[in-house]
Amino acid sequence: MALIVQKYGGTSVGSVERIQAVAQRIQQTANQGNQVVAVVSAMGKTTDTLVSLAQEITTTPCRREMDMLLSTGEQVSIALLSLALQELGQAAISLTGAQVGIVTEQAHSRARILEINPERIERHLKEEKVVVVAGFQGISSTTELEITTLGRGGSDTSAVALAVALGGSQCEIYTDVPGILTTDPRLVPEAQLMREITADEMLELASLGAKVLHPRAVELARNYGMPLVVRSSWTDDPGTRVLSDITAGGRSLQNLEISEGIDAIEFDRDQARVALLRVPDRPGIAAQLFRAIGQQQVDVDLIIQSIHEGNTNDIAFTVGRAMLPAAEAVAEATAPVFRSGQQTQPNEAEVITERDIAKISIVGAGMIGRPGIAAQMFQTLADAGVNLEMISTSEVKVSCVIAAADGAIAIISGNYPNLMSFGISILSCQIRRRDCTDTLRNNFNQSC
Amino acid sequence: MALIVQKYGGTSVGSVERIQAVAQRIQQTANQGNQVVAVVSAMGKTTDTLVSLAQEITTTPCRREMDMLLSTGEQVSIALLSLALQELGQAAISLTGAQVGIVTEQAHSRARILEINPERIERHLKEEKVVVVAGFQGISSTTELEITTLGRGGSDTSAVALAVALGGSQCEIYTDVPGILTTDPRLVPEAQLMREITADEMLELASLGAKVLHPRAVELARNYGMPLVVRSSWTDDPGTRVLSDITAGGRSLQNLEISEGIDAIEFDRDQARVALLRVPDRPGIAAQLFRAIGQQQVDVDLIIQSIHEGNTNDIAFTVGRAMLPAAEAVAEATAPVFRSGQQTQPNEAEVITERDIAKISIVGAGMIGRPGIAAQMFQTLADAGVNLEMISTSEVKVSCVIAAADGAIAIISGNYPNLMSFGISILSCQIRRRDCTDTLRNNFNQSC
């Protein structure tokens, strides 16, 4: 008898008919001899409606009251789904985040899950009930019962966290698309369904995959080796399996999400930078440059384009140091094209290079929506006297280009107040969190 | 500095504009130097909408899940009102029934309040916050956090119970009418506003007053000597004051509502019954009969009309025993009128009388919506071998007519397992609960 956690998003429970269809699917899973915990979002546009009501009152709503308001959406869903299951003859009980004991940080509207008390759900499962749990919500204290919401990706994260806390066999994310696609099918009709993808690959595709499965939930699944399935609520197609290293189990179930703010620190001193200053601000410029660089088999790492004064941009990119001469040559060869294409420009495009740079990055889905993590990285480097030459951020990664000599300064100083500066001391290597000692991990997380 | 509990019903918070108006009224009260606890209902038709959703799913919804569903309505209101107060610059915090610690019975959809933990509200009041509390809801256990709703009159009751638990100076019920009127102004435009009424009078007018103030809340206010004010949300008119004996304070704050199921037991053996059998089933018959009886200055007590087979009814009524001859004479005089008016009727109207009857009644607003209390009364009498000749119930009273001899049997038996049969032993007197010893009161309530 397997324990399966199924998560149904807002579209899947968007009407009474859909709730009834979801109830049938859950009953089917239960009839196959499984224990089922169903995690649901608010119905369809409920959350938007509630947000609109609040916005009619204030443009600066208190986050605590917004959590109080928005958490009702999921509560309506769980009650209705539970009624629909009971109407099918399937014993069921709904539980709020507070009733389950989903304990989170105090950070309203973007709380991370700290731990989940499995006892009450296990009791109801033993009673052969389907347990319907409100996604997206928790409480910051079991005495004060302050209602928190988890922010973006909240219900996905609730589902994975419950699967982990209950020792479930898999977590199924039901959605309105057939699974994870190679690209957005609304933009590219030929988008292919992926049958399988590893959690690590999924995280790399964060911005693509986030539309159906939030990276935060993927990271939690990966860290605890919880198999994920993403599939359609409307068909029996198998969807996409998101595979994790099942040996990742056995971690502490406390601070479920907290330890995952930063998953890796990368330091790379084998970097050089090429910058084209004052290139024309018109479509096709970047394509022209990087097509030429690609033709020379030069791998480009970071690319940063910033707006310069006037009608020009600066484009900077980094490459492996050995490739600098080739990259510089291409840039120098391309620059006159820009000049000739921009007759009215008083200042002409110019190429500058810098070979003594290094790149330090922090990586982790847990930093999504947490600007404080990037800020702390910058502060740590500033405290070490390290000047930042370039900054590039994506949803799950913050990279800083620094002078290679500054890396050395950080190393020589021997002052490692936290894991971040420790990261600087490890030249040209990556440390994956799971290779770190607990002490180091804790150091970093405390400082976050 | 007074502590005032204000309750705003669904109409008063029916839209964002109304919520904003309510916020201004609350702020005004706070600015006058008062501590304010605001209790609110669900917005306008929210509850109806939620009930409709559930009804689309099932015609026999589980009460627990309905409470889960319906309690979201008040939660939306408290969040929005709290935001509206904050937008006015008035510090405020919303609390659900669970967060306050409003502990009720387990009886879903009709739970009575057992006790309220005042500590959290007091803490927030000390922080100079207005505390906005969800009416109509509680929890049946502080560990399981099972959400209960209070049933009819729930939010009124929440407000009074909070005022009592917090030692408030008064409880103000805001509604969409100017106060308690002498009758329903939608039916009788000349209905008069009452400036003052005692809680006892209010309870006698239960069916009238219930439209603006539920008897259950009135009874709680009376039992704890809490002054009530019923007034319009839209004007500054003073409304109606519902006065209670302030010496009623000092009662235990445990089992707030529980002890109030039955407030009094009345036994009256000075009764006689007149019955007209087979009177025509057409409008005006009862009016004709009781107009004639009234003209003879005969006070009628109970009137029961039941449908007989065919097109006739039986009408029975009780009078003081001394009045039986007069009542019988009027009935006999009226009966031929019915006969002549009903030429096609094969069986003619007939008058029968019974002079050896007694009436036993239980009275109390707490029995509203609790058919079990009436059933227990019937069972108690059955156990004593007492046959019931007539039964009449209103919202706050259950009366049984029994043979006077049976009253004697009950007395002679000396078997008083609970207060109900004890009531039978007290001939021709009323015992008001507050005159009872605690032991007797507890006996009865345990057996309920």
Side-chain angles (χ1 to χ4, degrees), chain A residues 57-58 62 64-65 68 71-72 75-76 79-80 82 84 86-87 93-94 99 120 123 144-147, chain B residues 57-58 62 64-65 68 71-72 75-76 79 82 84 86-87 93-94 99 120 123 144-147:
Chain A
I57 291 172
T58 173
C62 155
R64 177 195 183 273
E65 299 300 333
M68 176 69 83
S71 61
T72 62
Q75 192 172 328
V76 168
L80 293 177
S82 191
Q86 291 169 355
E87 184 68 5
I93 186 168
S94 66
Q99 288 171 340
R120 181 149 185 202
R123 167 155 55 89
E144 292 279 286
L145 305 176
E146 284 290 281
I147 299 171
Chain B
I57 290 172
T58 174
C62 156
R64 177 196 185 273
E65 299 299 334
M68 176 69 82
S71 62
T72 63
Q75 193 172 326
V76 168
S82 190
Q86 291 168 356
E87 184 69 5
I93 186 169
S94 66
Q99 288 171 339
R120 182 152 182 199
R123 168 155 55 89
E144 292 279 287
L145 305 175
E146 284 289 282
I147 298 170

Side-chain angles (χ1 to χ4, degrees), chain B residues 19-42:
Chain B
I19 288 171
Q20 288 167 327
V22 162
Q24 283 178 344
R25 185 181 282 273
I26 291 170
Q27 189 184 33
Q28 200 177 323
T29 310
N31 285 346
Q32 288 160 0
N34 300 298
Q35 293 181 321
V36 185
V37 174
V39 177
V40 288
S41 303

